[in-house]
């Protein structure tokens, strides 16, 4: 039984896990060839396990920061610049339903980037409207 089954929906909290790629190479890049087969299989197994969790909603992987376009509005007009807003290596995000912060942290610690040179931010979901 997963955490979501054990608790009423109203008892669950929603968290967003922001995944920072860090130094771990992206699949399909020349640097990815330097990752051992053992490490690659372990990362894929971790992602497969996370993908089966009923209290986790995935999102498609984000493109590379170098391919981003940043949009700001100045004097009522959209102004764009090439590249990411803050040049971080955010690779994606997950939405997690969890009993509390500790439960969300336990899931975040399973994300391969958390141990392979990157990091995972755990943020409580909030409503601003």
């Amino acid at each position: 039984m997963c955490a979501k089954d054990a608790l009423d929906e109203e008892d669950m909290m929603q968290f967003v896990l922001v995944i920072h790629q860090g130094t771990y190479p992206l699949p399909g890049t020349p640097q990815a060839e330097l990752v051992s087969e053992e490490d690659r299989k372990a990362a894929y197994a971790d992602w497969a396990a996370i993908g089966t969790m009923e209290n986790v909603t995935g999102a498609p992987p984000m493109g590379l920061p170098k391919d981003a376009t940043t949009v700001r509005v100045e004097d009522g007009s959209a102004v764009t610049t090439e590249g990411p807003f803050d040049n971080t290596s955010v690779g994606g995000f997950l939405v997690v339903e969890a009993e509390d912060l500790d439960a969300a942290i336990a899931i975040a610690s399973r994300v391969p980037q958390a141990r392979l040179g990157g990091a995972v931010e755990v943020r409580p979901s909030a409503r601003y409207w």
Side-chain angles (χ1 to χ4, degrees), residues 9-100:
E9 188 101 7
E10 61 197 39
D11 293 332
M12 300 295 280
M13 297 174 65
Q14 191 173 64
F15 296 89
V16 178
L17 307 186
V18 182
I19 302 163
H20 293 269
Q21 190 67 24
T23 58
Y24 191 74
L26 292 167
T29 63
Q31 298 86 355
E33 299 302 318
L34 302 175
V35 176
S36 73
E37 184 67 22
E38 180 181 344
D39 285 344
R40 191 173 313 133
K41 284 182 179 180
Y44 289 151
D46 288 338
W47 278 117
I50 291 168
T52 65
M53 300 175 78
E54 292 181 18
N55 61 325
V56 176
T57 303
M62 295 172 69
L64 297 174
K66 69 176 184 67
D67 297 325
T69 299
T70 298
V71 179
R72 292 188 175 93
V73 176
E74 295 177 7
D75 298 320
S77 297
V79 177
T80 61
T81 54
E82 291 184 25
F85 173 64
D86 61 4
N87 205 22
T88 63
S89 60
V90 174
F93 65 94
L94 301 169
V95 177
V96 172
E97 299 285 337
E99 179 180 349
D100 55 25

